[in-house]
Amino acid sequence: LHAMNTVVAQLQRRFQDYLVSLYQQGFLDNQFTELRKLQDEGTPDFVAEVVSLFFDDCSKLINSMSRSLERPENVDFKQVDSGVHQLKGSSSSVGARRVKNVCISFKECCDVQNREGCLRCLQQVDYEYKMLKTKLQDLFNLEQQIVQAGGAIPQVNIN
Amino acid sequence: VQGSRLNLKISAMVMAAEPQFHVLAVDDSLFDRKLIERLLQKASCQVTTVDSGYKALEFLGLREGVEINDPDAVSTSPVIHQEVEVNLIITDYCMPSMTGYDLLKEVKESSACKNIPVVIMSSENVPARISRCLEEGAEEFFLKPVRLADLNKLKPHMMKTKLKNQKLEEIETPSKDESGTVAAVVEPEVKNLTEI
């Protein structure tokens, strides 16, 4: 029993350290903390579901914006602006800080109809969301391991 | 005696555990609907979510400004939701075809629903937009992402309509005392319960 407790404690420690590092490296901000607060025993998959919806949105929006930016002589900046607006909104609601910050630059490029700038931002947003997706997958895996070992997910306080 | 019975009912309801508020949430984004739904559930509210202003009007028993009781209205929606009490409408501002502002106007212009408090949400901080909505009768304007703390501000607004509806019910089904006279309408007040 003591051995089991140590395993759980170790996993909880790893989880906590990993989550804190994601905040420190700027991947997440305190909106993610707010999301975790909304999860409870009755809704244990809430954060994972919401995050999954967010990544689906990212993928769809990036594809459509890419199409709009494709032909230099015929860029639909209105469509791109709409996509960036949605992406900025959802990344903000999820706590995806780096993605949100790219969206801010992206919007500026769109406002001045800078196609090159938009393409760079598009590439960056694609990179950032995929990076975050990997990181959060690792986090959820740690969570799962804790639960399977019979432990509780720690409430992590970020300052 | 009749007045105190009404007061007792109100008192009992106020003192009872957390009354169930029913909120209608409107947002075209699935992601945002999921979020607002969870927030509202966490704030102990019953939630109905719809993805457009039109669906919201349908749910409220209004349809493009035409009330469901109008015999000339073409109603494609066979289900009438008027018995479902809505204590608050929370809507996104930016929605295709019908904005949150348009929905707010429709609600405030309808005799059946104008007393339902409406809250607008937006990801953009545009002061002109905010004042326009407040002037049109919105109770609050929340910047997204909306948080639990924001929703706690809504309880007093919802409580107000709940109590008003309760009072209206009492008026519509008046109780008579022994002499057969109908009870007078009284202002609800939270009295102590020694009058049982």
Side-chain angles (χ1 to χ4, degrees):
Chain A
L1 202 68
H2 180 70
M4 272 304 284
N5 288 343
T6 314
V7 165
V8 166
Q10 270 181 355
L11 287 170
Q12 286 171 330
R13 188 55 190 276
R14 269 175 66 195
F15 173 83
Q16 186 151 330
D17 289 347
Y18 193 64
L19 184 55
V20 169
S21 76
L22 292 180
Y23 283 91
Q24 286 173 341
Q25 289 166 49
F27 286 103
L28 300 172
D29 62 31
N30 56 15
Q31 179 56 24
F32 190 76
T33 315
E34 291 291 315
L35 280 190
R36 292 193 75 230
K37 280 191 210 166
L38 296 177
Q39 184 166 288
D40 54 33
E41 311 80 51
T43 54
D45 302 316
F46 174 69
V47 178
E49 278 173 10
V50 155
V51 152
S52 170
L53 277 176
F54 168 65
F55 292 138
D56 287 347
D57 265 1
C58 286
S59 171
K60 266 199 315 254
L61 290 168
I62 289 170
N63 282 339
S64 63
M65 288 190 287
S66 177
R67 281 195 301 274
S68 297
L69 287 164
E70 208 166 348
R71 297 203 319 273
E73 72 283 2
N74 189 18
V75 178
D76 186 353
F77 281 106
K78 246 189 129 187
Q79 196 281 333
V80 179
D81 184 72
S82 161
V84 177
H85 175 84
Q86 283 181 69
L87 209 48
K88 179 161 175 272
S90 51
S91 60
S92 175
S93 296
V94 133
R97 188 170 163 275
R98 286 199 190 179
V99 176
K100 183 187 76 174
N101 287 341
V102 176
C103 289
I104 293 172
S105 311
F106 202 157
K107 175 141 181 37
E108 285 165 13
C109 292
C110 204
D111 286 345
V112 299
Q113 307 210 335
N114 175 359
R115 180 176 173 267
E116 285 301 316
C118 284
L119 285 170
R120 277 196 302 273
C121 288
L122 187 69
Q123 202 175 40
Q124 226 188 326
V125 122
D126 188 64
Y127 172 81
E128 290 296 345
Y129 104 81
K130 284 173 175 164
M131 171 77 100
L132 181 62
K133 190 171 179 182
T134 314
K135 299 277 180 186
L136 288 180
Q137 196 51 62
D138 290 342
L139 188 74
F140 295 144
N141 286 341
L142 276 172
E143 255 187 4
Q144 227 178 8
Q145 284 177 58
I146 294 171
V147 169
Q148 278 167 2
I153 316 290
Q155 270 301 335
V156 179
N157 289 319
I158 314 291
N159 288 320
Chain B
V1 167
Q2 301 310 311
S4 65
R5 196 179 302 165
L6 170 63
N7 294 337
L8 206 65
K9 237 183 158 170
I10 304 270
S11 311
M13 205 196 74
V14 169
M15 290 182 195
E18 210 70 42
Q20 266 287 300
F21 295 124
H22 180 207
V23 180
L24 177 63
V26 191
D27 203 311
D28 61 311
S29 152
L30 171 61
F31 174 86
D32 287 327
R33 278 200 304 281
K34 198 150 177 85
L35 204 55
I36 196 71
E37 182 185 53
R38 185 82 268 268
L39 275 165
L40 288 164
Q41 285 169 349
K42 197 77 179 174
S44 309
C45 296
Q46 229 186 319
V47 195
T48 300
T49 58
V50 293
D51 63 10
S52 73
Y54 290 110
K55 298 241 181 87
L57 290 176
E58 235 180 3
F59 186 82
L60 293 165
L62 316 172
R63 176 78 181 189
E64 287 167 11
V66 176
E67 311 218 356
I68 211 92
N69 288 322
D70 182 343
D72 297 330
V74 177
S75 176
T76 53
S77 167
V79 184
I80 296 169
H81 292 277
Q82 275 184 315
E83 330 83 56
V84 179
E85 186 184 299
V86 172
N87 302 116
L88 186 116
I89 299 166
I90 184 164
T91 178
D92 187 26
Y93 182 93
C94 280
M95 294 188 291
S97 65
M98 185 182 249
T99 67
Y101 178 77
D102 297 329
L103 175 60
L104 167 68
K105 277 194 78 176
E106 294 281 353
V107 169
K108 292 301 165 186
E109 281 167 14
S110 93
S111 52
C113 298
K114 66 174 181 234
N115 291 320
I116 302 177
V118 181
V119 170
I120 313 274
M121 308 179 277
S122 177
S123 53
E124 292 169 314
N125 190 350
V126 181
R129 177 185 293 182
I130 298 174
S131 42
R132 204 159 70 113
C133 289
L134 295 175
E135 273 160 33
E136 195 61 39
E139 301 292 339
E140 301 271 0
F141 191 102
F142 292 151
L143 280 177
K144 288 181 173 181
V146 176
R147 296 182 165 193
L148 263 176
D150 296 321
L151 294 188
N152 288 331
K153 283 193 226 163
L154 301 181
K155 298 274 164 102
H157 297 302
M158 295 192 281
M159 183 63 96
K160 217 170 42 185
T161 32
K162 193 112 185 158
L163 288 174
K164 202 180 257 174
N165 289 344
Q166 187 80 2
K167 180 182 164 185
L168 286 172
E169 273 173 39
E170 282 290 313
I171 294 168
E172 281 156 24
T173 57
S175 25
K176 298 184 177 181
D177 64 18
E178 295 85 39
S179 61
T181 56
V182 173
V185 173
V186 287
E187 282 302 302
E189 36 176 338
V190 181
K191 282 189 169 171
N192 58 45
L193 300 178
T194 53
E195 297 176 307
I196 303 169

